[in-house]
Amino acid sequence: MKKSRLIIGNWKSYLGLADGIALAKALVDHHVPQANQIVVICPQFPLLGAISQVLPFHQQTSNGILLGSQDISAWDAGAHTGDVSHSLLSDLCCHYSIIGHSERRQGNQETDAMLKEKLVMAINNGITPIFCVGEPLNVYQSKQTLAFIEAQLTAVFSDFPAIPDQLIIAYEPIWAIGSNIIPSLSEIETVHQHINKALQQLFPVTPSESIRVIYGGSVNADNCKSMIQQPSVDGFLVGRASISELDFLSIIVNSNKEFTS
Ligand code: PGA
């Protein structure tokens, strides 16, 4: 079975209300759906309501532009000040959620235990997690990347109390984020294969088509062309380049390789 590829825009906190709505409208107007490809945009929380109104038609089709959040509450709706619950995300047709981005692990002290709860909450409520893993520069330089990534996966997924229908892992080396430097193609392929192998052991009953491993960190309209040719690269998590209409649409088109696996 063919795995559809994913192109996910992580808008971080770059865009305000007017710019965010304008970009979403421009993407809806100019996006040409590609075969076997799903496009998701992840705006800041306060933009989700307005942008879900821009995307209603596209929410109906898997080839359209879908909505994701940059985080999810570990708890059901209730007395959790500052959190955004899965039920509100579902109301807004927000079917994906980035969990464990390195900027939240570092800037918001998100722990493995907390991330596990968020993953369970998303999976049990029909929201597909985009779980981020990735090593810091010193780990990369000391060639400990594979062990580091495996430890990040087992820290949350061993004894996991839910079975994911769909799971997206974003491999994002921390040193590649926002730096215009990316690992070599063979390094990316090796890490993605390792992630797939680890997940097959952690989730033996989940079909391999339901697990996708995407790459993130300085993806642009040019470097995506060779990265998408790697057999284990199922798409991209795009930061800075996703807030430019031209760059993001070019990444979408340039990531449409003839599907081979
Ligand atoms: P970048 O960010 O594309 O700006 O490097 C990627 C990410 O942090 O998800």
Side-chain angles (χ1 to χ4, degrees):
M1 192 180 158
K2 286 179 178 177
K3 280 193 208 182
S4 47
R5 291 181 302 280
L6 286 147
I7 310 299
I8 302 176
N10 174 9
W11 289 6
K12 307 195 179 187
S13 64
Y14 286 125
L15 299 175
L17 185 61
D19 288 347
I21 292 172
L23 177 57
K25 282 188 174 150
L27 293 174
V28 166
D29 287 347
H30 300 126
H31 168 239
V32 179
Q34 309 288 311
N36 294 317
Q37 197 187 64
I38 295 170
V39 176
V40 181
I41 53 174
C42 303
Q44 300 185 71
F45 279 128
L47 290 177
L48 287 173
I51 291 183
S52 74
Q53 299 300 309
V54 174
L55 305 178
F57 165 74
H58 291 255
Q59 298 288 336
Q60 309 298 319
T61 141
S62 61
N63 267 348
I65 298 175
L66 303 177
L67 201 54
S69 64
Q70 297 178 15
D71 188 26
I72 186 171
S73 176
W75 300 284
D76 287 320
H80 304 292
T81 303
D83 269 39
V84 176
S85 67
H86 64 83
S87 47
L88 178 57
L89 294 178
S90 296
D91 287 349
L92 296 170
C93 294
C94 184
H95 298 310
Y96 295 82
S97 185
I98 298 172
I99 296 177
H101 191 284
S102 57
E103 287 155 10
R104 293 200 60 83
R105 289 180 192 254
Q106 290 172 348
N108 298 69
Q109 287 78 46
E110 294 202 345
T111 62
D112 292 329
M114 212 184 271
L115 296 178
K116 185 171 192 163
E117 291 192 11
K118 291 183 177 191
L119 285 161
V120 173
M121 194 52 73
I123 287 167
N124 282 344
N125 291 285
I127 294 176
T128 300
I130 303 157
F131 182 61
C132 300
V133 295
E135 79 286 3
L137 185 60
N138 64 321
V139 170
Y140 172 74
Q141 285 170 334
S142 59
K143 303 197 187 314
Q144 297 299 311
T145 297
L146 297 183
F148 186 91
I149 302 292
E150 194 171 327
Q152 283 187 316
L153 292 172
T154 49
V156 295
F157 289 128
S158 55
D159 303 319
F160 197 70
I163 297 178
D165 280 344
Q166 296 286 329
L167 181 59
I168 301 164
I169 306 294
Y171 170 50
E172 297 207 306
I174 295 172
W175 51 273
I177 294 174
S179 66
N180 284 325
I181 303 168
I182 61 170
S184 71
L185 295 177
S186 71
E187 285 170 334
I188 294 172
E189 179 63 20
T190 302
V191 175
H192 283 218
Q193 283 180 10
H194 196 73
I195 292 171
N196 274 312
K197 216 187 308 164
L199 288 171
Q200 272 154 27
Q201 279 164 11
L202 290 160
F203 295 109
V205 300
T206 300
S208 59
E209 303 83 58
S210 303
I211 295 174
R212 298 191 194 82
V213 185
I214 64 176
Y215 171 80
S218 296
V219 174
N220 62 38
D222 192 33
N223 63 23
C224 68
K225 294 180 200 162
S226 52
M227 285 195 280
I228 200 67
Q229 300 301 331
Q230 300 308 300
S232 303
V233 173
D234 298 322
F236 302 112
L237 181 55
V238 186
R240 184 86 212 181
S242 73
I243 58 161
S244 151
E245 178 197 347
L246 184 64
D247 288 348
F248 194 55
L249 291 175
S250 301
I251 290 170
I252 289 169
V253 170
N254 292 350
S255 302
N256 185 26
K257 70 169 174 183
E258 183 58 32
F259 204 72
T260 52
S261 60

